[in-house]
Amino acid sequence: MSALCLDFLYRKLLTPRQIPCMCEHTWQYWIFATSSCSGPAHDQECMELNATRPDAVVPPVEITLYYESLCPGCRAFLTEQLFPTWILLKDIMNVNLVPFGNAKELPEDNIFSCQHGEPECYINIVEVSLLANNADYTFPVIYCMESSADILKSAKPCLQLFAPFVKWQTIESCTRGEFGHRLMHQNAVKTQALKPAHLHVPWITFNGEYTNEWEDKAMSTLFNIVCILYKVCTCFHFYHF
């Protein structure tokens, strides 16, 4: 069963050199795992594998989204692919959100300039302030905001819906203060340090790695990719001898 998933990954998604897997592996394990499985008849069976059961010794798949809060493509990916996949696979995946995207940091004026104007800069800081809490409610609140018709007006109601115990004034004070500015600076540094450098948003990495092929597939089949990546890590751990 494990070999089936590796075979599918090899033939349909990427080459062995492209595997962004956080577990230990070598070419020996890849060859051993794939040598007994080939042919199109295995594709459907591989897709039906139960790769959603967490393994205590296998790290979760890390999905990092570099985005802008008012970018239509970013909003579509976050609400239609990333959040639904996280709801179903949160036991085997971690999501990291980095709101900044194509914004510019202007140190001389101590401000940020955003592609979609001042409202986007404000919403970016609201979301980074929420993310600083690292709480279970953070992603649902951001999903609620990004899926609404008016992100700015929905911020407070979304917080009240998913985290009624958190006062909006707490978030607001962060967005207007020095702490929120420092958080945005950290996201600017993270975004500017990307290798390869980001050329657009959304920009999606898998276990810290980026390829055009993976990003393209993630826009419509993120669930499958996460399952397969996690299964590959499980495979390599199992065959590590």
Side-chain angles (χ1 to χ4, degrees), residues 67-69 96-100 112 120-135 137-138 141-142 145-146 168 170-172 174-188 190-191:
Y67 72 106
E68 299 168 351
S69 57
N96 304 304
L97 300 177
V98 186
F100 188 79
F112 298 94
E120 181 171 75
C121 282
Y122 175 71
I123 298 168
N124 284 349
I125 297 182
V126 168
E127 294 188 357
V128 79
S129 299
L130 288 166
L131 291 164
N133 293 321
N134 194 29
Y137 62 79
T138 300
V141 172
I142 291 177
M145 292 170 57
E146 294 290 343
W168 173 250
T170 303
I171 303 300
E172 182 73 9
C174 179
T175 63
R176 301 296 185 184
E178 181 62 27
F179 184 59
H181 187 90
R182 289 202 305 269
L183 292 173
M184 283 307 301
H185 169 71
Q186 292 172 8
N187 278 6
K190 290 178 184 177
T191 303

Side-chain angles (χ1 to χ4, degrees), residues 26 57 75 103 118 126-127 133 173 175 190 193 206 227:
T26 69
V57 297
R75 296 178 65 185
E118 181 58 30
V126 168
E127 294 188 357
N133 293 321
S173 63
T175 63
K190 290 178 184 177
F206 300 81
C227 285

Side-chain angles (χ1 to χ4, degrees), residues 67-124:
Y67 72 106
E68 299 168 351
S69 57
L70 292 183
C71 161
C74 300
R75 296 178 65 185
F77 175 73
L78 190 151
T79 59
E80 297 172 13
Q81 289 292 323
L82 188 57
F83 186 78
T85 299
W86 176 76
I87 288 293
L88 295 171
L89 301 180
K90 63 176 66 177
D91 288 339
I92 65 168
M93 71 180 288
N94 290 333
V95 171
N96 304 304
L97 300 177
V98 186
F100 188 79
N102 296 323
K104 304 294 183 183
E105 186 172 17
L106 307 175
E108 63 277 8
D109 298 320
N110 199 35
I111 60 173
F112 298 94
S113 173
C114 297
Q115 184 165 299
H116 299 91
E118 181 58 30
E120 181 171 75
C121 282
Y122 175 71
I123 298 168
N124 284 349

